[in-house]
């Protein structure tokens, strides 16, 4: 288990992290969310022992990060923001160096490097110097060094930053497979990352915790939860839709004959909307029920507008 208790970090007059507390259990993939400047990277640096907190504690699998730093760090695979590496080293040389730092020698070192390379598909760039790689490949090298020693805890700061859609999909699949017997924390501002791989989300703003829920629970806070979006061939009767039981309002979508019908909190309105469509004989091109919009919930939470 990872446990953060009343963690704070101040730089002169600026408080970057403010009395933060939460726990993460084995098997969880925690999305650590917040706008730029919210304190995400600062928290990661304290959690991994690279930055001392002003107050509070953090422990990794029972090891206090301040008093048992090396024991705690042995449990961690860390991908920092920007994936810093030694640019003049080749990918093979860098990963071999990291393996030696981690205490591996001989055949075991070679095996660890080969496995990490295969998992993130670096075979074609092994002999290139890191400084010549694209941003996406540099990110993959950073991920390879983080998983090389098969750590029990993975702490990843923006793991898919700079990757193309195919590479993002591959890394997300890798994270999900690794999470079966590990604790994974992903710091990100990419909301699709949360719904794609995370089992839980913690949102911070101004260094403070503002939400701790599953992605589904966060989506259910959205005013678009259970909303029904229609695209029709001809004009829709807005008044008739607005009068249906459970309907909170109607929004026009800026596209001809496209509306979103909003549901009152706790209401399911699709059956009523569907019945009206059949009754009126509307020719519908698209009909969707929304889970909720995480971006809207995120904006509300980080503006301090939510309870």
């Amino acid at each position: 288990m990872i446990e953060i208790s009343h963690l704070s970090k101040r730089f002169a007059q600026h408080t970057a992290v403010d009395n933060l507390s939460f726990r993460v259990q084995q098997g969880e993939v925690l999305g650590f969310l917040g706008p730029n400047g919210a304190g995400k990277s600062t928290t990661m640096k304290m959690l991994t022992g690279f930055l001392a907190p002003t107050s509070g504690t953090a422990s990794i699998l029972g090891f206090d990060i301040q008093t048992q730093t090396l024991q705690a760090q042995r449990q961690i695979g860390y991908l920092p923001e920007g994936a810093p590496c030694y640019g003049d080293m080749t990918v093979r040389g860098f990963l071999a160096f990291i393996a030696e730092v981690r205490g591996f020698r001989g055949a075991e070192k070679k095996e660890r490097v080969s496995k990490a390379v295969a998992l993130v598909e670096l075979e074609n760039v092994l002999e290139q110097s890191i400084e010549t790689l694209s941003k996406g490949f540099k990110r993959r090298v950073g991920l390879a060094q983080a998983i090389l020693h098969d750590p029990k805890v993975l702490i990843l700061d923006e793991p898919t930053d700079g990757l193309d859609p195919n590479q993002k999909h591959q890394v997300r699949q890798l994270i999900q497979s690794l999470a079966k017997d590990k604790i994974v924390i992903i710091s990100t501002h990419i909301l699709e990352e949360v719904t794609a791989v995370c089992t839980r989300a913690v949102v911070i703003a101004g260094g403070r915790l503002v939400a701790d829920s599953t992605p589904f629970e966060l989506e259910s806070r959205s005013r678009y939860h259970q909303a029904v979006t229609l695209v029709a061939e001809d004009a829709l009767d807005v008044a008739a839709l607005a009068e249906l039981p459970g309907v909170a309002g109607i929004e026009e979508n800026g596209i001809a004959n496209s509306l979103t019908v909003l549901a009152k909190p706790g209401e399911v309105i699709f059956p009523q909307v569907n019945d009206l469509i059949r009754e009126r004989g509307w020719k519908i091109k698209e009909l969707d029920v929304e889970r909720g919009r995480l971006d809207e919930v995120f904006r509300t939470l980080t503006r301090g507008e939510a309870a």
Side-chain angles (χ1 to χ4, degrees), residues 91-102:
V91 173
R92 187 191 300 278
F94 174 70
L95 294 177
F97 166 70
I98 294 296
E100 289 190 8
V101 169
R102 290 290 184 182

Side-chain angles (χ1 to χ4, degrees), residues 185-198:
I185 297 180
I186 300 172
S187 173
T188 184
H189 64 273
I190 304 171
L191 298 181
E192 68 178 70
E193 202 99 282
V194 180
T195 53
V197 298
C198 296

Side-chain angles (χ1 to χ4, degrees), residues 53-109:
T54 304
S55 60
T57 61
S59 64
I60 308 290
L61 304 181
F63 297 110
D64 186 282
I65 196 63
Q66 293 183 81
T67 61
Q68 299 169 293
T69 305
L70 289 179
Q71 295 99 313
Q73 288 177 333
R74 289 189 185 106
Q75 316 302 318
I76 298 171
Y78 180 37
L79 176 63
E81 184 180 21
C85 301
Y86 294 111
D88 58 340
M89 298 180 79
T90 65
V91 173
R92 187 191 300 278
F94 174 70
L95 294 177
F97 166 70
I98 294 296
E100 289 190 8
V101 169
R102 290 290 184 182
F104 301 114
R105 300 290 186 274
E108 187 176 17
K109 179 180 81 170

Side-chain angles (χ1 to χ4, degrees), residues 213-288:
S213 302
T214 67
F216 176 79
E217 288 168 343
L218 285 177
E219 286 175 331
S220 69
R221 298 188 190 189
S222 168
R223 64 194 294 263
Y224 295 97
H225 182 58
Q226 292 295 337
V228 179
T229 297
L230 307 89
V231 181
E233 291 186 6
D234 301 307
L236 296 163
D237 188 338
V238 176
L241 286 165
E243 291 174 0
L244 291 174
V247 170
I250 310 289
E251 286 187 359
E252 295 185 4
N253 296 323
I255 302 171
N257 306 320
S258 176
L259 300 172
T260 295
V261 186
L262 303 175
K264 293 177 181 177
E267 297 285 346
V268 176
I269 62 171
F270 176 76
Q272 299 92 291
V273 173
N274 198 39
D275 287 345
L276 184 63
I277 290 169
R278 280 189 290 205
E279 178 187 314
R280 297 295 181 91
W282 291 335
K283 294 180 180 179
I284 301 298
K285 294 190 287 186
E286 293 181 29
L287 182 63
D288 298 303

